[in-house]
Amino acid sequence: MSMRVRAIAFSSSANLGAGYDVLSMSHRAFNDVVYAELLDSGEGKIFIETDSSVPTDPSKNSASVPVEAIMEDYKIKGIIKLKIVKGIPPGLGLGSSGASAVAAVAAVSRLLDLNLSLEDIVKYAVLGEKAVSGSPHPDNVAASAFGGVVAVTSHDPFRIVRVAVNYDFKIMLIIPRLATGVGKTKRARELVPPKVELNKVVENARYLSSLMVGLIKGDRNLIQEGMNDSIVEKAREPLYPYYPKIREISLKYNSVGVCVSGAGPSVLVLYDEETELEKIKLGATDVCRGFGFDCDFVTTEIGGGVKVEGLD
Ligand SMILES: Nc1ncnc2c1ncn2[C@@H]1O[C@H](COP(=O)(O)OP(=O)(O)OP(=O)(O)O)[C@@H](O)[C@H]1O
Ligand SMILES: N[C@@H](CCO)C(=O)O
């Protein structure tokens, strides 16, 4: 049994258009690292060390809430120290809270020799998402745990499948320089209507089908048509009024696909050699400046799943 373990989990973009709480994509843009070790003395059950802005109160951090549940379920005595090295900026739609949760659960699983499956890791990590957003949405944590593009096909019990991607695209994240404050995703989820018209559901089913078939068959047009959403992105537009114009520009300059990254405010653009990426960047910069802020561009590629190393 290692006395100290390190786990690394990548950032992710959830929803991918019409896949609200179902689809997500891991990417190598950013990553969180969580170190876990057993302490033989101290107060409470969990001690958090971090040099980032995330809470050190174990009841408020997406990394520690799942670990507390593990300690209860497995009747773990003693204190677990979690050192959280935040590489994924919080509150920007990049799956920051989810990655911390996955890395912490994976590290503790190795530390205590629990041998949790990836589905088990998701089952615990969603408790961290629930703590910070009010809802146990499994998409970001599924992507950070499994890697690649994932679909959460069942919620109870969790079943996650990796979606075969047979089109060679790259990823660009458009990241607004915006301070979204505490609980951005919680606020974004409150904007999602509890009921929608059937025609909107059918429209989103078309998008989702197009996207899934496009990814699996490697059909560029189907991917582009499928990355769209007539329900959630629309309902949340007040949070990112710049998005429709950025979407229009991305499609005008032939992106493979574009959508809001998770609950935003970042935007995910898929591109290839046919995409006029520089024109998208120039156009997006102008749009963001028109709304009073600058944005950053991060180009990356699809990421892997959580990685764990026993340190000693
Ligand atoms: N370990 C953590 N990492 C990141 N955020 C955390 C963590 N623990 C608690 N939080 C809080 O959660 C909120 C950020 O999570 P939120 O779900 O709103 O956005 P996100 O996870 O960065 O992006 P996404 O839209 O992809 O979920 C912030 O208020 C932050 O303080
Ligand atoms: N499906 C979640 C993802 C958050 O990143 C939401 O859109 O609220």
Side-chain angles (χ1 to χ4, degrees):
M1 183 159 98
S2 309
M3 295 315 287
R4 191 162 179 257
V5 175
R6 171 173 60 198
I8 300 159
F10 284 119
S11 49
S12 63
S13 290
N15 302 343
L16 303 183
Y20 178 70
D21 285 5
V22 175
L23 294 186
S24 191
M25 179 187 291
S26 164
H27 36 62
R28 305 173 63 85
F30 305 94
N31 64 69
D32 277 4
V33 181
V34 175
Y35 296 79
E37 64 182 297
L38 273 172
L39 301 182
D40 48 19
S41 65
E43 293 293 310
K45 284 184 175 177
I46 298 173
F47 171 69
I48 294 174
E49 178 188 322
T50 182
D51 57 2
S52 73
S53 63
V54 298
T56 51
D57 174 348
S59 67
K60 295 195 171 69
N61 194 302
S62 62
S64 44
V65 168
V67 171
E68 191 131 18
I70 290 172
M71 293 176 82
E72 268 163 39
D73 290 353
Y74 288 85
K75 314 236 180 311
I76 305 295
K77 300 274 174 277
I79 297 160
I80 289 182
K81 176 182 170 187
L82 296 175
K83 179 180 175 187
I84 304 169
V85 182
K86 287 298 297 178
I88 310 169
L92 294 176
L94 302 173
S96 183
S97 53
S100 276
V102 164
V105 171
V108 167
S109 173
R110 170 74 68 84
L111 182 74
L112 304 177
D113 276 348
L114 304 180
N115 208 16
L116 293 179
S117 69
L118 288 176
E119 274 88 358
D120 289 335
I121 289 174
V122 168
K123 183 184 81 174
Y124 279 110
V126 295
L127 300 176
E129 294 288 54
K130 183 171 169 52
V132 302
S133 72
S135 159
H137 60 91
D139 39 12
N140 289 107
V141 296
S144 291
F146 281 74
V149 175
V150 295
V152 181
T153 57
S154 162
H155 200 272
D156 188 10
F158 278 115
R159 193 172 310 110
I160 291 108
V161 291
R162 287 190 187 88
V163 178
V165 175
N166 292 305
Y167 190 82
D168 186 15
F169 56 73
K170 296 226 177 333
I171 297 165
M172 177 170 75
L173 294 163
I174 303 174
I175 307 174
R177 289 184 196 161
L178 286 174
T180 55
V182 172
K184 176 268 308 173
T185 296
K186 184 175 174 58
R187 293 196 300 278
R189 295 183 73 88
E190 287 160 2
L191 289 177
V192 179
K195 289 183 182 163
V196 292
E197 293 156 24
L198 182 60
N199 67 316
K200 293 290 179 201
V201 174
V202 172
E203 193 177 349
N204 263 26
R206 287 198 196 102
Y207 293 144
L208 206 50
S209 310
S210 302
L211 176 60
M212 300 299 280
V213 173
L215 289 171
I216 293 165
K217 284 183 67 175
D219 184 315
R220 190 187 200 275
N221 291 334
L222 280 176
I223 294 171
Q224 190 183 70
E225 286 157 21
M227 278 182 78
N228 202 347
D229 175 14
S230 61
I231 300 173
V232 175
E233 284 185 358
K234 283 282 175 299
R236 289 173 165 175
E237 228 161 75
L239 292 179
Y240 30 72
Y242 50 87
Y243 174 66
K245 202 81 191 107
I246 289 181
R247 179 179 175 81
E248 186 188 321
I249 290 166
S250 299
L251 295 171
K252 177 182 175 188
Y253 293 118
N254 204 12
S255 62
V256 175
V258 54
C259 66
V260 176
S261 178
S266 298
V267 175
L268 172 72
V269 177
L270 305 186
Y271 71 94
D272 61 9
E273 62 290 339
E274 294 170 44
T275 309
E276 296 183 82
L277 198 65
E278 288 313 310
K279 288 184 179 172
I280 294 175
K281 289 165 77 171
L282 285 171
T285 300
D286 286 347
V287 170
C288 290
R289 285 186 178 153
F291 280 90
F293 57 86
D294 274 320
C295 57
D296 294 301
F297 301 97
V298 174
T299 53
T300 184
E301 51 199 33
I302 290 181
V306 63
K307 292 274 173 294
V308 187
E309 303 164 330
L311 295 177
D312 46 31

